[in-house]
Amino acid sequence: MNPLPFQTAEEIAAAIPQVVTHLGQGGLLAYPTETVYGLGSRAEQTDVAALASLKGRAASKPFLLLISDRSMAEAHGLAFTPSADALARAFWPGPLTLVLPGGSGRLPDLLRGPDGGIAVRWTSHQAIASLVAALGAPLTSTSANLPGQPPGPGAAAIARDFARAVDDGKLLVLDGGVLGNRPPSTVVDCTRAQAQIVREGTLSVAELRRAVGRLAP
């Protein structure tokens, strides 16, 4: 199956219903984000396990969730600490991933990190936000690459790297163009009283501190 065009408004509108159906049947997805291409699935136990198998990733290394608005995170039981609340207000939607407490019984434990939290980002990629909204639930996300390799810059490279899953109809690839060498999202752990930086990416620690002061990591 060739990558599905996903750049113009018409292409995006045509693709979203197909993608929602594919994900609803337990399929996996490769898609553009505001940083790098991602691989994802529904936030269901079996689908997340299938994604881990495709990625060749240990189950102990969880994926993050993309949401289309803050209420989607709260509807799945995720809680915003004062730091998370301030950071979300300042930088969402955007390339900031927050590790949040909560979600017990509503989200798979495979998504939970060693700190007990679940990583979430309100994506600023408008087409993917529209897709997540149409899905009505979070979309899991991990960089679209084979272990030890950089993320694929575009749909053709991803379709080549994961050709077996594409040929089997398990993986649907969205062609959002070539993204270039962009840094990943910045990740902040907000499961404790004091936020902690997990990974500095697109947003620097200095930017976080300028925006929210003492509530920043």
Side-chain angles (χ1 to χ4, degrees):
M1 184 185 299
N2 293 325
L4 197 60
F6 198 72
Q7 295 186 65
T8 68
E10 292 77 14
E11 289 170 347
I12 292 163
I16 284 177
Q18 298 180 56
V19 175
V20 170
T21 297
H22 176 74
L23 290 169
Q25 295 169 342
L28 305 178
L29 185 69
Y31 56 90
T33 74
E34 66 269 47
T35 54
V36 298
Y37 267 85
L39 294 173
S41 69
R42 293 182 304 173
E44 303 287 344
Q45 185 83 7
T46 54
D47 300 24
V48 174
L51 181 61
S53 177
L54 175 72
K55 183 76 183 278
R57 181 169 176 163
S60 59
K61 191 175 182 184
F63 306 115
L64 64 88
L65 294 178
L66 295 184
I67 55 175
S68 56
D69 57 37
R70 177 168 167 166
S71 65
M72 183 175 282
E74 292 170 333
H76 285 77
L78 296 173
F80 286 78
T81 62
S83 291
D85 177 67
L87 289 164
R89 290 177 185 275
F91 294 103
W92 275 5
L96 175 67
T97 298
L98 300 177
V99 182
L100 303 175
S104 180
R106 303 190 197 184
L107 292 166
D109 284 338
L110 279 175
L111 295 172
R112 203 171 295 283
D115 49 26
I118 293 177
V120 186
R121 182 168 87 246
W122 179 352
T123 179
S124 58
H125 192 291
Q126 292 186 350
I128 295 302
S130 296
L131 168 59
V132 174
L135 184 63
L139 178 69
T140 66
S141 186
T142 180
S143 57
N145 61 288
L146 295 169
Q149 299 298 314
I158 295 165
R160 180 192 65 234
D161 288 345
F162 297 96
R164 179 176 293 181
V166 171
D167 292 344
D168 290 345
K170 186 66 177 175
L171 177 66
L172 178 62
V173 181
L174 298 181
D175 186 355
V178 175
L179 300 184
N181 186 22
R182 302 181 185 182
S185 65
T186 295
V187 182
V188 178
D189 182 353
C190 296
T191 60
R192 301 177 181 86
Q194 178 60 47
Q196 296 181 315
I197 191 78
V198 176
R199 178 183 72 196
E200 189 167 352
T202 302
L203 296 168
S204 69
V205 173
E207 288 176 278
L208 303 182
R209 290 175 178 167
R210 276 198 300 271
V212 303
R214 63 180 180 79
L215 292 173

